[in-house]
Amino acid sequence: MCRWLVYSGTPVLLSDVLYRPVPSLIDQSLRSRMGVETTNGDGFGIGWYTDDIDTPAIVRDTGPAWNNRNLREISDHVRSPLFFAHIRASTGTAVQQTNCHPFRHGRWMWMHNGLIAGFDRLRRDLLLTVDPELFPHIEGTTDSETMFYLALTFGLDEDPPGAVARMAGLVERLGHQIGVEFPVQMTIAASNGERVWVFRYSSRRESRTLFYSTCVESLRALHPDVAWLHRLSADTRIVVSEPLGDLQGAWNELPESSYGVIPAQDGEMLAAFDVHGLTGPGIG
Amino acid sequence: MCRWLVYSGTPVLLSDVLYRPVPSLIDQSLRSRMGVETTNGDGFGIGWYTDDIDTPAIVRDTGPAWNNRNLREISDHVRSPLFFAHIRASTGTAVQQTNCHPFRHGRWMWMHNGLIAGFDRLRRDLLLTVDPELFPHIEGTTDSETMFYLALTFGLDEDPPGAVARMAGLVERLGHQIGVEFPVQMTIAASNGERVWVFRYSSRRESRTLFYSTCVESLRALHPDVAWLHRLSADTRIVVSEPLGDLQGAWNELPESSYGVIPAQDGEMLAAFDVHGLTGPGIG
Amino acid sequence: MCRWLVYSGTPVLLSDVLYRPVPSLIDQSLRSRMGVETTNGDGFGIGWYTDDIDTPAIVRDTGPAWNNRNLREISDHVRSPLFFAHIRASTGTAVQQTNCHPFRHGRWMWMHNGLIAGFDRLRRDLLLTVDPELFPHIEGTTDSETMFYLALTFGLDEDPPGAVARMAGLVERLGHQIGVEFPVQMTIAASNGERVWVFRYSSRRESRTLFYSTCVESLRALHPDVAWLHRLSADTRIVVSEPLGDLQGAWNELPESSYGVIPAQDGEMLAAFDVHGLTGPGIG
Amino acid sequence: MCRWLVYSGTPVLLSDVLYRPVPSLIDQSLRSRMGVETTNGDGFGIGWYTDDIDTPAIVRDTGPAWNNRNLREISDHVRSPLFFAHIRASTGTAVQQTNCHPFRHGRWMWMHNGLIAGFDRLRRDLLLTVDPELFPHIEGTTDSETMFYLALTFGLDEDPPGAVARMAGLVERLGHQIGVEFPVQMTIAASNGERVWVFRYSSRRESRTLFYSTCVESLRALHPDVAWLHRLSADTRIVVSEPLGDLQGAWNELPESSYGVIPAQDGEMLAAFDVHGLTGPGIG
């Protein structure tokens, strides 16, 4: 499996979030405590939005994050208000740049932790469902990228939670057809550069862990003496596969079968996520 | 495009063929004289059969061949009676190991120089034609690997020239349907470990160059004083995108729209290659 | 040998300089017209200063620049007022990240095109001359990095032209001692983040080419209709191994045995460069 | 730190030793039980001798061993009577091919687990002690390679245990001079293609683990029903940082401060290893 991180808020150096906390995501690439695999050394990726450029930058490489100098250099010199980071433990597919997260299409970034059970047998049918206009943009061979292009096919642009639910619903339906009892295991982050949607879901209802940071105001009240908290805007949030650092009260588990929106829409950050019976428009 | 080489005959060190001739294939990776592109630096691969192991070894990497030390080390220490080598100039697809030639399926190896014109638009339909049992084995995104799996689908095991012809015929038919006038450009090598089939064909009948070595007996008569020719068995042959070394009389162009079999079957090494009207069993 | 580029002036996206001109430096990695080698595919590097961070960022990799996606991504999303780019053709030393340019020490960046003749035999003595405090910072095995640490040893911080002259003088003296007639061949760029010094020199007085861009005001007068020239500050300059793009009047050759300072000091950008008799303080 | 393996005996496929045991060395790259670091993902290398070629083949790469396909391919197709394998966890030096083990010089191979404490400060003086004729062959920046060239300088060809002792003695003496209490921590394997010498030593007398396999005859007596034991010659031995597989009675710890020779010389495989007062000919 993998570990991932989303940052959204006051522009910061990437390294302030990726390297400075103890433990950090980069530490987790070598020694994760909560992951199914303790080592996430099969490639990594970062993606960041800038204020004045339409599409995010994506930098990915196939070696471990912990010894990658270019990742450190970029992180120490690039600021962003919204970025993704991902460290990969392959579930079998090739270790190559096009299989590293995040994936990008236009303004969208996407990353995933988990797997589609039985993907080898499902892949062909899932690819067939991808919009033929989108199909040529698929470059790798992962379940994660296939899920992204299915979500794009199912309307990610207009209705992110609905599109992701239809994607997961399709995977479940096709999986069940070939006898896979629990086809979907996923935490997912998707962003269009303005908002981020994070999802936690699995067919078995035992999803990979996912945590979001406590709102900055509450954290300041808890830790009035932590200086850097005062430099963050009120809407700054981090979402991670497992907690960073050791600031008490900083992390909250995203509930099973739910999703979050950052910044919150209509004041609500969290909502239930249900894929029941959703399998995409015109799909069976 | 690319450059490739096939060796079949007396077991030799790979480096005797890959590095020793002047110019060699490895020289051509930096400076090809006959290729459409002069530099072939987007990855390379070798594949070799051994006497007692069922499947060939495949070693591929994404950097240039000319500075790769592991390639040199392996070539200096491994002997084989039958091996492939390929240097790649990408026509657009990602530079990654799974896009490097040769490709392997079971005992079969396959490599290609050329391209499918309009592949971006044809890829989905071509992949759909691949036998669903074979589909999960496709790991990369090249036209070359797709051609391999189509040939496997169309009976490469039983009738190599027929299967390759049906593959090329299908590509031509689908290409014409979307308005591509000359869909196929290819030189191809395929082997099952016992024989090698080499093909030269293009829809425009202006195919990439391909050369085969003169039979060893004739070369010995031409060059009685060249010692190493006496160490080669009579059936030793090399097939290359462009000539190696400078031994006069050593190279012959494979005719346009033809294929060769090594060792020759029924005494005939060369035959005409025609794809007219062939598009695979049950296709169209 | 190699090709390199320095940009100093109005902050721009790296890709505006690295990719947009026709031909660009990235084109030259595949097909240089003026280089001793036409292909520069043995690694590359970029280094950029930002306004608020003390040390420059350095991103280097061992493959060719022309097919590197991360280089393209970074270039498309990072702006800088002062950056270096380098594409490498190894003269024999290993193709590894620590041998790629630019090199960095503190605020300083350094890159080189050329070679030290007889470096294999001179390396030990040159390394011995490096300040023992600096010695542990040498990570690679190139002549270029050794030249950098010699220049640092000889006072690069206080007197860049003097330090570079003493470095080159030492190489010449030690080279002559072991019978190398023309030990130094170099174009060099060095920067402390405020100014850039560029050098063109060789023992044979037949140095690798180096060009600097015409001052922006003159270019505007020549090409009043070229819009982007109006967005550049008057002190913007580019220095390159061979000209980029095709804007007439844009490029001037740096004279043999000279150096330049950007922005100009005391109104003078160019000066003669002489190493005669200079071999470093306390060196023989 | 690292993990390593030596095989000497009946020619076998590399994969029979590297991949087949459970756990195997490749498993240990991801999850070592006895190492100081549990993950050894900073590069790997193999080196093998063949019967008819003077120098061993060395294949090294910078990514993790566990996901490297070329390593698997080579291991599945190459047989050797004598080979080394090494998986690396960097102690700080760059992750690059020239820092991966095994190192080679002529017929010699060398690999190391451990470190020289204070190497940053000792490196210059250690390099100065290397024979100037050998110095240009040093390609990387590790303590391990420096130890190799010191041992070569001190007579590895004539007296391997003596040369290694003088090397370790020099490191201890220079280390003590700059206040490092325990400068040497090492298990080392060295071979000239005919014999292998393995060393276990540390200044603190708390050396990294090292195990050698029980002699084949005794193993056969213990496990009369294990078929593959009957295919091995009587002198087959494996030496490893930590035991492979789960065959009871198969592994014995190399005693603290000792070395072994394979095949045994004069009937004795093990001997005490003492560096006291040994610092190389003409060294202090």
Side-chain angles (χ1 to χ4, degrees), chain A residues 94 96 98 120 123-124 127-128 132 135-136 138-139 141, chain B residues 94 96 98 120 123-124 127-128 130 132 135-136 138-139 141:
Chain A
Q96 58 193 22
T98 55
D120 259 14
R123 187 174 163 230
R124 187 172 180 274
L127 288 177
L128 286 187
F135 182 82
I138 299 178
E139 287 197 305
T141 52
Chain B
Q96 59 193 22
T98 55
D120 258 15
R123 184 173 164 230
R124 188 172 179 276
L127 287 177
L128 286 187
V130 170
F135 182 83
I138 299 178
E139 287 197 305
T141 52

PDB file of all heavy atoms in Angstrom, chain A residues 94 96 98 120 123-124 127-128 132 135-136 138-139 141, chain B residues 94 96 98 120 123-124 127-128 130 132 135-136 138-139 141:
ATOM      1  N   ALA A  94       4.295  -2.511 -12.110  1.00  0.00           N
ATOM      2  CA  ALA A  94       5.681  -2.111 -12.326  1.00  0.00           C
ATOM      3  C   ALA A  94       6.031  -0.831 -11.573  1.00  0.00           C
ATOM      4  O   ALA A  94       5.199   0.062 -11.410  1.00  0.00           O
ATOM      5  CB  ALA A  94       5.938  -1.915 -13.822  1.00  0.00           C
ATOM      6  N   GLN A  96       7.497   2.278 -11.990  1.00  0.00           N
ATOM      7  CA  GLN A  96       7.878   3.190 -13.063  1.00  0.00           C
ATOM      8  C   GLN A  96       7.156   4.513 -12.850  1.00  0.00           C
ATOM      9  O   GLN A  96       6.138   4.582 -12.159  1.00  0.00           O
ATOM     10  CB  GLN A  96       7.520   2.598 -14.428  1.00  0.00           C
ATOM     11  CG  GLN A  96       6.046   2.267 -14.591  1.00  0.00           C
ATOM     12  CD  GLN A  96       5.766   1.406 -15.819  1.00  0.00           C
ATOM     13  OE1 GLN A  96       6.645   0.733 -16.315  1.00  0.00           O
ATOM     14  NE2 GLN A  96       4.540   1.449 -16.307  1.00  0.00           N
ATOM     15  N   THR A  98       5.265   6.384 -14.543  1.00  0.00           N
ATOM     16  CA  THR A  98       3.850   6.528 -14.914  1.00  0.00           C
ATOM     17  C   THR A  98       2.917   5.767 -13.972  1.00  0.00           C
ATOM     18  O   THR A  98       1.706   5.912 -14.077  1.00  0.00           O
ATOM     19  CB  THR A  98       3.604   6.042 -16.363  1.00  0.00           C
ATOM     20  OG1 THR A  98       4.082   4.695 -16.478  1.00  0.00           O
ATOM     21  CG2 THR A  98       4.321   6.927 -17.363  1.00  0.00           C
ATOM     22  N   ASP A 120      -6.233  -7.540 -11.857  1.00  0.00           N
ATOM     23  CA  ASP A 120      -5.726  -8.200 -13.061  1.00  0.00           C
ATOM     24  C   ASP A 120      -6.865  -8.658 -13.963  1.00  0.00           C
ATOM     25  O   ASP A 120      -6.803  -8.503 -15.187  1.00  0.00           O
ATOM     26  CB  ASP A 120      -4.906  -9.440 -12.667  1.00  0.00           C
ATOM     27  CG  ASP A 120      -3.424  -9.169 -12.725  1.00  0.00           C
ATOM     28  OD1 ASP A 120      -3.048  -7.982 -12.795  1.00  0.00           O
ATOM     29  OD2 ASP A 120      -2.645 -10.140 -12.676  1.00  0.00           O
ATOM     30  N   ARG A 123      -9.221  -5.331 -15.009  1.00  0.00           N
ATOM     31  CA  ARG A 123      -8.642  -4.165 -15.653  1.00  0.00           C
ATOM     32  C   ARG A 123      -9.207  -3.904 -17.046  1.00  0.00           C
ATOM     33  O   ARG A 123      -9.528  -2.770 -17.404  1.00  0.00           O
ATOM     34  CB  ARG A 123      -7.123  -4.340 -15.742  1.00  0.00           C
ATOM     35  CG  ARG A 123      -6.432  -3.111 -16.248  1.00  0.00           C
ATOM     36  CD  ARG A 123      -4.918  -3.253 -16.187  1.00  0.00           C
ATOM     37  NE  ARG A 123      -4.312  -2.248 -17.023  1.00  0.00           N
ATOM     38  CZ  ARG A 123      -3.384  -2.493 -17.934  1.00  0.00           C
ATOM     39  NH1 ARG A 123      -2.916  -3.722 -18.097  1.00  0.00           N
ATOM     40  NH2 ARG A 123      -2.907  -1.521 -18.683  1.00  0.00           N
ATOM     41  N   ARG A 124      -9.313  -4.960 -17.841  1.00  0.00           N
ATOM     42  CA  ARG A 124      -9.762  -4.769 -19.215  1.00  0.00           C
ATOM     43  C   ARG A 124     -11.164  -4.160 -19.246  1.00  0.00           C
ATOM     44  O   ARG A 124     -11.414  -3.182 -19.964  1.00  0.00           O
ATOM     45  CB  ARG A 124      -9.744  -6.114 -19.937  1.00  0.00           C
ATOM     46  CG  ARG A 124     -10.025  -6.032 -21.424  1.00  0.00           C
ATOM     47  CD  ARG A 124      -9.777  -7.389 -22.073  1.00  0.00           C
ATOM     48  NE  ARG A 124     -10.047  -7.333 -23.496  1.00  0.00           N
ATOM     49  CZ  ARG A 124     -11.248  -7.503 -24.041  1.00  0.00           C
ATOM     50  NH1 ARG A 124     -12.298  -7.704 -23.268  1.00  0.00           N
ATOM     51  NH2 ARG A 124     -11.410  -7.426 -25.361  1.00  0.00           N
ATOM     52  N   LEU A 127     -11.086  -0.525 -18.118  1.00  0.00           N
ATOM     53  CA  LEU A 127     -10.541   0.372 -19.147  1.00  0.00           C
ATOM     54  C   LEU A 127     -11.560   0.614 -20.249  1.00  0.00           C
ATOM     55  O   LEU A 127     -11.646   1.707 -20.807  1.00  0.00           O
ATOM     56  CB  LEU A 127      -9.256  -0.223 -19.736  1.00  0.00           C
ATOM     57  CG  LEU A 127      -8.032  -0.182 -18.812  1.00  0.00           C
ATOM     58  CD1 LEU A 127      -6.836  -0.867 -19.478  1.00  0.00           C
ATOM     59  CD2 LEU A 127      -7.670   1.271 -18.462  1.00  0.00           C
ATOM     60  N   LEU A 128     -12.348  -0.421 -20.555  1.00  0.00           N
ATOM     61  CA  LEU A 128     -13.350  -0.261 -21.605  1.00  0.00           C
ATOM     62  C   LEU A 128     -14.402   0.762 -21.223  1.00  0.00           C
ATOM     63  O   LEU A 128     -15.032   1.373 -22.083  1.00  0.00           O
ATOM     64  CB  LEU A 128     -14.042  -1.599 -21.879  1.00  0.00           C
ATOM     65  CG  LEU A 128     -13.194  -2.591 -22.630  1.00  0.00           C
ATOM     66  CD1 LEU A 128     -14.020  -3.810 -22.992  1.00  0.00           C
ATOM     67  CD2 LEU A 128     -12.671  -1.920 -23.893  1.00  0.00           C
ATOM     68  N   PRO A 132     -13.617   6.955 -24.318  1.00  0.00           N
ATOM     69  CA  PRO A 132     -12.577   6.788 -25.348  1.00  0.00           C
ATOM     70  C   PRO A 132     -11.756   8.057 -25.602  1.00  0.00           C
ATOM     71  O   PRO A 132     -10.613   7.964 -26.034  1.00  0.00           O
ATOM     72  CB  PRO A 132     -13.383   6.383 -26.595  1.00  0.00           C
ATOM     73  CG  PRO A 132     -14.599   5.718 -26.044  1.00  0.00           C
ATOM     74  CD  PRO A 132     -14.923   6.454 -24.763  1.00  0.00           C
ATOM     75  N   PHE A 135      -9.201   7.819 -22.795  1.00  0.00           N
ATOM     76  CA  PHE A 135      -8.380   6.617 -22.783  1.00  0.00           C
ATOM     77  C   PHE A 135      -6.917   6.846 -23.187  1.00  0.00           C
ATOM     78  O   PHE A 135      -6.002   6.350 -22.512  1.00  0.00           O
ATOM     79  CB  PHE A 135      -9.019   5.547 -23.681  1.00  0.00           C
ATOM     80  CG  PHE A 135      -8.281   4.260 -23.689  1.00  0.00           C
ATOM     81  CD1 PHE A 135      -8.473   3.327 -22.678  1.00  0.00           C
ATOM     82  CD2 PHE A 135      -7.348   3.974 -24.687  1.00  0.00           C
ATOM     83  CE1 PHE A 135      -7.765   2.126 -22.675  1.00  0.00           C
ATOM     84  CE2 PHE A 135      -6.641   2.785 -24.685  1.00  0.00           C
ATOM     85  CZ  PHE A 135      -6.848   1.869 -23.682  1.00  0.00           C
ATOM     86  N   PRO A 136      -6.647   7.613 -24.258  1.00  0.00           N
ATOM     87  CA  PRO A 136      -5.230   7.760 -24.654  1.00  0.00           C
ATOM     88  C   PRO A 136      -4.367   8.459 -23.604  1.00  0.00           C
ATOM     89  O   PRO A 136      -3.149   8.416 -23.702  1.00  0.00           O
ATOM     90  CB  PRO A 136      -5.312   8.609 -25.939  1.00  0.00           C
ATOM     91  CG  PRO A 136      -6.701   8.436 -26.433  1.00  0.00           C
ATOM     92  CD  PRO A 136      -7.553   8.249 -25.204  1.00  0.00           C
ATOM     93  N   ILE A 138      -4.251   7.675 -20.433  1.00  0.00           N
ATOM     94  CA  ILE A 138      -3.785   6.727 -19.422  1.00  0.00           C
ATOM     95  C   ILE A 138      -2.390   6.256 -19.809  1.00  0.00           C
ATOM     96  O   ILE A 138      -2.178   5.738 -20.891  1.00  0.00           O
ATOM     97  CB  ILE A 138      -4.745   5.513 -19.313  1.00  0.00           C
ATOM     98  CG1 ILE A 138      -6.133   6.001 -18.899  1.00  0.00           C
ATOM     99  CG2 ILE A 138      -4.200   4.487 -18.318  1.00  0.00           C
ATOM    100  CD1 ILE A 138      -7.162   4.898 -18.802  1.00  0.00           C
ATOM    101  N   GLU A 139      -1.440   6.469 -18.915  1.00  0.00           N
ATOM    102  CA  GLU A 139      -0.055   6.156 -19.264  1.00  0.00           C
ATOM    103  C   GLU A 139       0.510   4.961 -18.518  1.00  0.00           C
ATOM    104  O   GLU A 139       1.495   4.370 -18.943  1.00  0.00           O
ATOM    105  CB  GLU A 139       0.827   7.362 -18.944  1.00  0.00           C
ATOM    106  CG  GLU A 139       0.653   8.505 -19.904  1.00  0.00           C
ATOM    107  CD  GLU A 139       1.821   9.437 -19.766  1.00  0.00           C
ATOM    108  OE1 GLU A 139       2.084   9.898 -18.628  1.00  0.00           O
ATOM    109  OE2 GLU A 139       2.475   9.697 -20.784  1.00  0.00           O
ATOM    110  N   THR A 141      -0.189   1.541 -15.511  1.00  0.00           N
ATOM    111  CA  THR A 141      -0.921   0.281 -15.453  1.00  0.00           C
ATOM    112  C   THR A 141      -1.544   0.026 -14.080  1.00  0.00           C
ATOM    113  O   THR A 141      -1.955  -1.085 -13.784  1.00  0.00           O
ATOM    114  CB  THR A 141       0.044  -0.887 -15.770  1.00  0.00           C
ATOM    115  OG1 THR A 141       1.194  -0.774 -14.922  1.00  0.00           O
ATOM    116  CG2 THR A 141       0.477  -0.858 -17.210  1.00  0.00           C
TER     117      THR A 141
ATOM    118  N   ALA B  94       6.206   6.933 -23.030  1.00  0.00           N
ATOM    119  CA  ALA B  94       7.073   7.161 -21.880  1.00  0.00           C
ATOM    120  C   ALA B  94       8.347   6.328 -21.954  1.00  0.00           C
ATOM    121  O   ALA B  94       8.352   5.213 -22.462  1.00  0.00           O
ATOM    122  CB  ALA B  94       6.318   6.835 -20.588  1.00  0.00           C
ATOM    123  N   GLN B  96      10.322   4.195 -20.107  1.00  0.00           N
ATOM    124  CA  GLN B  96      10.247   3.358 -18.911  1.00  0.00           C
ATOM    125  C   GLN B  96      10.553   1.922 -19.308  1.00  0.00           C
ATOM    126  O   GLN B  96      10.419   1.536 -20.465  1.00  0.00           O
ATOM    127  CB  GLN B  96       8.862   3.469 -18.276  1.00  0.00           C
ATOM    128  CG  GLN B  96       7.723   3.062 -19.198  1.00  0.00           C
ATOM    129  CD  GLN B  96       6.360   3.471 -18.645  1.00  0.00           C
ATOM    130  OE1 GLN B  96       6.260   4.380 -17.817  1.00  0.00           O
ATOM    131  NE2 GLN B  96       5.315   2.797 -19.091  1.00  0.00           N
ATOM    132  N   THR B  98       9.130  -0.868 -18.978  1.00  0.00           N
ATOM    133  CA  THR B  98       8.106  -1.692 -19.622  1.00  0.00           C
ATOM    134  C   THR B  98       7.834  -1.270 -21.063  1.00  0.00           C
ATOM    135  O   THR B  98       7.086  -1.954 -21.765  1.00  0.00           O
ATOM    136  CB  THR B  98       6.779  -1.648 -18.832  1.00  0.00           C
ATOM    137  OG1 THR B  98       6.389  -0.282 -18.672  1.00  0.00           O
ATOM    138  CG2 THR B  98       6.944  -2.281 -17.467  1.00  0.00           C
ATOM    139  N   ASP B 120      -2.168   6.680 -31.166  1.00  0.00           N
ATOM    140  CA  ASP B 120      -2.960   7.258 -30.084  1.00  0.00           C
ATOM    141  C   ASP B 120      -4.446   6.979 -30.265  1.00  0.00           C
ATOM    142  O   ASP B 120      -5.155   6.653 -29.318  1.00  0.00           O
ATOM    143  CB  ASP B 120      -2.765   8.788 -30.057  1.00  0.00           C
ATOM    144  CG  ASP B 120      -1.822   9.195 -28.952  1.00  0.00           C
ATOM    145  OD1 ASP B 120      -1.120   8.311 -28.425  1.00  0.00           O
ATOM    146  OD2 ASP B 120      -1.774  10.398 -28.631  1.00  0.00           O
ATOM    147  N   ARG B 123      -5.096   2.833 -30.443  1.00  0.00           N
ATOM    148  CA  ARG B 123      -4.642   1.944 -29.375  1.00  0.00           C
ATOM    149  C   ARG B 123      -5.791   1.204 -28.693  1.00  0.00           C
ATOM    150  O   ARG B 123      -5.708   0.009 -28.448  1.00  0.00           O
ATOM    151  CB  ARG B 123      -3.863   2.769 -28.340  1.00  0.00           C
ATOM    152  CG  ARG B 123      -3.267   1.901 -27.258  1.00  0.00           C
ATOM    153  CD  ARG B 123      -2.365   2.719 -26.341  1.00  0.00           C
ATOM    154  NE  ARG B 123      -2.120   1.967 -25.135  1.00  0.00           N
ATOM    155  CZ  ARG B 123      -2.273   2.434 -23.907  1.00  0.00           C
ATOM    156  NH1 ARG B 123      -2.645   3.687 -23.721  1.00  0.00           N
ATOM    157  NH2 ARG B 123      -2.055   1.667 -22.863  1.00  0.00           N
ATOM    158  N   ARG B 124      -6.841   1.937 -28.391  1.00  0.00           N
ATOM    159  CA  ARG B 124      -7.944   1.308 -27.671  1.00  0.00           C
ATOM    160  C   ARG B 124      -8.535   0.151 -28.462  1.00  0.00           C
ATOM    161  O   ARG B 124      -8.734  -0.947 -27.938  1.00  0.00           O
ATOM    162  CB  ARG B 124      -9.011   2.360 -27.376  1.00  0.00           C
ATOM    163  CG  ARG B 124     -10.122   1.894 -26.461  1.00  0.00           C
ATOM    164  CD  ARG B 124     -11.014   3.068 -26.075  1.00  0.00           C
ATOM    165  NE  ARG B 124     -12.105   2.646 -25.216  1.00  0.00           N
ATOM    166  CZ  ARG B 124     -13.248   2.137 -25.651  1.00  0.00           C
ATOM    167  NH1 ARG B 124     -13.456   1.964 -26.945  1.00  0.00           N
ATOM    168  NH2 ARG B 124     -14.187   1.760 -24.787  1.00  0.00           N
ATOM    169  N   LEU B 127      -6.121  -2.779 -28.545  1.00  0.00           N
ATOM    170  CA  LEU B 127      -6.073  -3.507 -27.279  1.00  0.00           C
ATOM    171  C   LEU B 127      -7.304  -4.391 -27.104  1.00  0.00           C
ATOM    172  O   LEU B 127      -7.236  -5.489 -26.552  1.00  0.00           O
ATOM    173  CB  LEU B 127      -5.962  -2.525 -26.102  1.00  0.00           C
ATOM    174  CG  LEU B 127      -4.601  -1.853 -25.933  1.00  0.00           C
ATOM    175  CD1 LEU B 127      -4.647  -0.843 -24.783  1.00  0.00           C
ATOM    176  CD2 LEU B 127      -3.506  -2.892 -25.664  1.00  0.00           C
ATOM    177  N   LEU B 128      -8.441  -3.900 -27.585  1.00  0.00           N
ATOM    178  CA  LEU B 128      -9.678  -4.683 -27.470  1.00  0.00           C
ATOM    179  C   LEU B 128      -9.592  -5.976 -28.248  1.00  0.00           C
ATOM    180  O   LEU B 128     -10.282  -6.943 -27.937  1.00  0.00           O
ATOM    181  CB  LEU B 128     -10.865  -3.870 -27.983  1.00  0.00           C
ATOM    182  CG  LEU B 128     -11.305  -2.764 -27.054  1.00  0.00           C
ATOM    183  CD1 LEU B 128     -12.583  -2.132 -27.564  1.00  0.00           C
ATOM    184  CD2 LEU B 128     -11.513  -3.341 -25.667  1.00  0.00           C
ATOM    185  N   VAL B 130      -6.903  -7.775 -28.561  1.00  0.00           N
ATOM    186  CA  VAL B 130      -6.005  -8.723 -27.899  1.00  0.00           C
ATOM    187  C   VAL B 130      -6.833  -9.722 -27.090  1.00  0.00           C
ATOM    188  O   VAL B 130      -7.787  -9.344 -26.394  1.00  0.00           O
ATOM    189  CB  VAL B 130      -5.017  -7.966 -26.985  1.00  0.00           C
ATOM    190  CG1 VAL B 130      -4.230  -8.934 -26.101  1.00  0.00           C
ATOM    191  CG2 VAL B 130      -4.081  -7.098 -27.817  1.00  0.00           C
ATOM    192  N   PRO B 132      -8.406 -11.610 -24.337  1.00  0.00           N
ATOM    193  CA  PRO B 132      -8.553 -11.182 -22.938  1.00  0.00           C
ATOM    194  C   PRO B 132      -7.660 -11.966 -21.972  1.00  0.00           C
ATOM    195  O   PRO B 132      -7.295 -11.448 -20.913  1.00  0.00           O
ATOM    196  CB  PRO B 132     -10.039 -11.421 -22.650  1.00  0.00           C
ATOM    197  CG  PRO B 132     -10.697 -11.289 -23.978  1.00  0.00           C
ATOM    198  CD  PRO B 132      -9.721 -11.841 -24.980  1.00  0.00           C
ATOM    199  N   PHE B 135      -4.376 -10.118 -22.352  1.00  0.00           N
ATOM    200  CA  PHE B 135      -4.408  -8.686 -22.036  1.00  0.00           C
ATOM    201  C   PHE B 135      -3.699  -8.308 -20.736  1.00  0.00           C
ATOM    202  O   PHE B 135      -2.928  -7.337 -20.715  1.00  0.00           O
ATOM    203  CB  PHE B 135      -5.867  -8.200 -22.022  1.00  0.00           C
ATOM    204  CG  PHE B 135      -6.008  -6.746 -21.754  1.00  0.00           C
ATOM    205  CD1 PHE B 135      -5.871  -5.819 -22.784  1.00  0.00           C
ATOM    206  CD2 PHE B 135      -6.250  -6.270 -20.469  1.00  0.00           C
ATOM    207  CE1 PHE B 135      -5.976  -4.455 -22.533  1.00  0.00           C
ATOM    208  CE2 PHE B 135      -6.357  -4.921 -20.214  1.00  0.00           C
ATOM    209  CZ  PHE B 135      -6.221  -4.008 -21.239  1.00  0.00           C
ATOM    210  N   PRO B 136      -3.910  -9.054 -19.627  1.00  0.00           N
ATOM    211  CA  PRO B 136      -3.261  -8.628 -18.374  1.00  0.00           C
ATOM    212  C   PRO B 136      -1.734  -8.659 -18.430  1.00  0.00           C
ATOM    213  O   PRO B 136      -1.083  -8.088 -17.563  1.00  0.00           O
ATOM    214  CB  PRO B 136      -3.781  -9.642 -17.337  1.00  0.00           C
ATOM    215  CG  PRO B 136      -5.030 -10.199 -17.922  1.00  0.00           C
ATOM    216  CD  PRO B 136      -4.811 -10.203 -19.408  1.00  0.00           C
ATOM    217  N   ILE B 138       0.094  -7.339 -20.795  1.00  0.00           N
ATOM    218  CA  ILE B 138       0.625  -6.115 -21.404  1.00  0.00           C
ATOM    219  C   ILE B 138       0.996  -5.155 -20.284  1.00  0.00           C
ATOM    220  O   ILE B 138       0.172  -4.803 -19.458  1.00  0.00           O
ATOM    221  CB  ILE B 138      -0.416  -5.464 -22.343  1.00  0.00           C
ATOM    222  CG1 ILE B 138      -0.759  -6.436 -23.476  1.00  0.00           C
ATOM    223  CG2 ILE B 138       0.104  -4.137 -22.882  1.00  0.00           C
ATOM    224  CD1 ILE B 138      -1.817  -5.912 -24.429  1.00  0.00           C
ATOM    225  N   GLU B 139       2.242  -4.739 -20.247  1.00  0.00           N
ATOM    226  CA  GLU B 139       2.712  -3.922 -19.133  1.00  0.00           C
ATOM    227  C   GLU B 139       3.014  -2.488 -19.523  1.00  0.00           C
ATOM    228  O   GLU B 139       3.053  -1.605 -18.669  1.00  0.00           O
ATOM    229  CB  GLU B 139       3.985  -4.522 -18.561  1.00  0.00           C
ATOM    230  CG  GLU B 139       3.751  -5.773 -17.768  1.00  0.00           C
ATOM    231  CD  GLU B 139       4.958  -6.045 -16.910  1.00  0.00           C
ATOM    232  OE1 GLU B 139       6.074  -6.123 -17.475  1.00  0.00           O
ATOM    233  OE2 GLU B 139       4.805  -6.157 -15.684  1.00  0.00           O
ATOM    234  N   THR B 141       3.068   0.757 -22.796  1.00  0.00           N
ATOM    235  CA  THR B 141       2.110   1.545 -23.571  1.00  0.00           C
ATOM    236  C   THR B 141       2.529   1.733 -25.020  1.00  0.00           C
ATOM    237  O   THR B 141       1.979   2.585 -25.719  1.00  0.00           O
ATOM    238  CB  THR B 141       1.956   2.932 -22.927  1.00  0.00           C
ATOM    239  OG1 THR B 141       3.257   3.507 -22.751  1.00  0.00           O
ATOM    240  CG2 THR B 141       1.266   2.849 -21.583  1.00  0.00           C
TER     241      THR B 141
END
